[in-house]
Amino acid sequence: MLGVCRGRRKFLAASLTLLCIPALTWIYLFAGSLEGPPVLLLCRNHLDAWYRKSPTPVGTKSAQAECGRTCARLHRDGKPVSLSPLESQAHSPRSPASSPREREGLEARVREVEEENRALRRQLSLARGRPPAPRLGNHSGTYSVEEGTGDSESLRAGIVAGNSSECGQQPAVEKCETIHVAIVCAGYNASRDVVTLVKSVLFHRRNPLHFHLIADSIAEQILAMLFHTWMVPAVRVDFYNAEELKSEVSWIPNKHYSGIYGLMKLVLTKTLPANLERVIVLDTDITFATDIAELWAVFHRFRGQQALGLVENQSDWYLGNLWKNHRPWPALGRGYNTGVILLLLDKLRKMKWEQMWRLTAERELMGMLSTSLADQDIFNAVIKQNPFLVYQLPCFWNVQLSDHTRSEQCYRDVSDLKVIHWNSPKKLRVKNKHVEFFRNLYLTFLEYDGNLLRRELFGCPSEAGVADASNKDLQKQLSELDEDDLCYEFRRERFTVHRTHLYFLHYEHEPATDGTDVTLVAQLSMDRLQMLEAICKHWEGPISLALYLSDAEAQQFLRYAQGSEVLMGRHNVGYHIVYKEGQFYPVNLLRNVAMKHISTPYMFLSDIDFLPMYGLYEYLRKSVIQLDLANTKKAMIVPAFETLRYRLSFPKSKAELLSMLDMGTLFTFRYHVWTKGHAPTNFAKWRTATTPYRVQWEADFEPYVVLRRDCPEYDRRFVGFGWNKVAHIMELDAQEYEFTVLPNAYMIHMPHAPSFDITKFRSNKQYRVCLKTLKEEFQQDMSRRYGFAALKYLTAENNS
């Protein structure tokens, strides 16, 4: 709205100026003074001032041309233009207008000036009406100033001289034009950085975006799931296999910490689609402080053979002599930084870019032996030989925050900056005069709620983006729900798509070659983080955890994990962040996420507030062989116990546990409040059992089990508290799984404050009513799926 008001005020000012021109001209002429203040020069000055001060209107190319012609006519050779044939005779302010013929000539000239003014006014009106701008890409439309082209005074001031005229303007980006962005990303940590970069771009953007991600298998798995569940409108993502590109650059020795992936920007002309003409290439450690469309618009300023848009390097690296024997690669002056690159792909292909950079690299490596700054060294060496290739971007498009940079010379005020580049291995720990400002800006996007970035781009046709197909199906399913249903919110939760970031931390585990490996599966929220270290001490095998967190909580968890020697010492724990949305805890969705992303053939379905007995991992692997789990449908039950003491001397054997049961230090799980949940385990038999024994399913049975990874998922209709595990065990029984209790296995529930969901279940009658309704619907679904065999569940429910 502010942009609209400013635009209207400036247009009104311009209109008033133009309306005054005829009046001033008549006063000037009929006062008989042709030697006084040059009125038409005043006209030109008014116009120039207006163009300099106002945001450039869209679609004013013709107005600009008219302005240029008018300026030329009104100020030819730096002198006032003759307004009438009387000028040669008008030597004195008192010279009279001589004859009717001369007066007629004067009036004709005035009418001509008025007509020029009217023509110019019409051009300005057309500009305000925003006709279509020149076509830039694959989509048509117009990008208005009110909608934020980001055409700022600082941008116009920073453009290289010679690219704009006195009456010039910043070219606009069409409203619905797709902006293409390429990013090279590999590994777990880089995937987190990409998310923050993408958040900063999405926050400011007003255009459809197409991300081209050159990724290894890890980053692709993480980011594909993230974008699929993020469901941001008008965003498309394509992946390119970085593994296949390694052979293109692996012959180049590289000392940079980015490794071989730091060289892959060199092969983008070959990697990206042949019909893609231009792309913005970004490092993962970039943060945008403005609309990326502003940067996209700079492509219009390329002239001649310019095909690379780069910002000058802000350190002294390429000047050499930073230390004894420091010998950088060749560069023009200070060289250029490749954290932000504008690539005119079609022009580079025509110039045989592949051959150009390869020949340069081969020649320089004969003396340099390796690159120190990866692709940046080779880009600079090519530019040194072919300076015509580069268009120098203003420095605010890549403010480089490594130690000892000259970035402070780039800006007078930090609010003027467009792109911040954390291009030091130290990242946020660099030393800089304004580093706190930069760090806070970065942290803003780091902790920003990504769900808020799912906003639509109004006025643009629907794109075939990541979100669109899923969105249509989701909207159809939601439209079939009855919003007047008292349980509508419960039903709706089943269709909620939660943003999911897999493998938030580094994960590394090779399953055992004997095919017996087991992963512990659990889910948690922020209030259960304290259990992680204890579980890692009790279970040495792989773990898959789904954490239900907000964006800010995810960063708190990251700091907690990175500060823990226990957690950092374990690389076989997969942490999968499911971001908060809605009013219910999606317990079964979390379990399903953790189950889907295991690398072992078997899994132990546990809860985060249970500590497994010491040695349970190895015991379960032996039991897998003993019970032939690979070839039978068995669910191995690990008996569950609990303590009411926050400090417990954990029993190291079954005998010690039985002693604590007898002393009242331990109890069978939920013995006091929910006996039916674990009674079928038959704890009396377990006390003396030395071999596995089979038990039968009973109503409300919810043991903790070990299963093959191909078992059924949990039912997502159950959220919060109640019936989430019960329904899963019921389905296992319906699929004829055999429940077998392990005689020498146990787990102990540790005490904690009641969860928000159990409190709501106990205090809210409607909550309990809806849970009962969902149970009945689940049982009906079971009857439809499993027929006559499922009738026993209804009977058992009625008798319980």
Side-chain angles (χ1 to χ4, degrees), residues 708-773:
R708 292 201 309 252
R709 64 179 298 167
D710 61 354
C711 74
E713 292 185 346
Y714 287 84
D715 194 296
R716 275 199 62 187
R717 82 186 76 198
F718 298 107
V719 294
F721 177 80
W723 247 65
N724 44 73
K725 290 194 299 292
V726 171
H728 188 241
I729 295 297
M730 184 183 290
E731 185 146 12
L732 290 177
D733 184 66
Q735 293 190 11
E736 300 181 341
Y737 275 76
E738 180 183 311
F739 296 102
T740 303
V741 180
L742 299 175
N744 295 308
Y746 58 87
M747 58 195 298
I748 299 177
H749 180 267
M750 306 305 292
H752 56 74
S755 67
F756 173 76
D757 291 279
I758 195 171
T759 303
K760 192 157 55 173
F761 170 82
R762 291 169 177 168
S763 62
N764 189 327
K765 181 180 179 181
Q766 187 59 44
Y767 193 111
R768 296 192 296 274
V769 168
C770 288
L771 180 59
K772 186 174 184 297
T773 301

Side-chain angles (χ1 to χ4, degrees), residues 512-524:
T513 56
D514 61 2
T516 64
D517 216 346
V518 183
T519 300
L520 186 151
V521 171
Q523 45 73 37
L524 68 152

Side-chain angles (χ1 to χ4, degrees), residues 555-617:
Q555 298 310 313
Q556 293 175 40
F557 158 70
L558 181 61
R559 290 191 291 271
Y560 168 80
Q562 291 177 337
S564 166
E565 290 185 13
V566 174
L567 300 187
M568 285 296 97
R570 292 286 297 272
H571 297 300
N572 61 349
V573 181
Y575 301 96
H576 312 298
I577 308 296
V578 176
Y579 287 99
K580 286 184 175 179
E581 187 170 0
Q583 57 178 306
F584 296 103
Y585 186 81
V587 57
N588 279 356
L589 167 68
L590 295 171
R591 287 180 173 132
N592 290 340
V593 168
M595 285 169 56
K596 285 178 185 176
H597 298 97
I598 65 171
S599 57
T600 60
Y602 304 99
M603 53 190 175
F604 171 32
L605 302 181
S606 182
D607 271 337
I608 198 66
D609 39 16
F610 277 89
L611 289 181
M613 72 176 201
Y614 291 109
L616 181 60
Y617 171 61

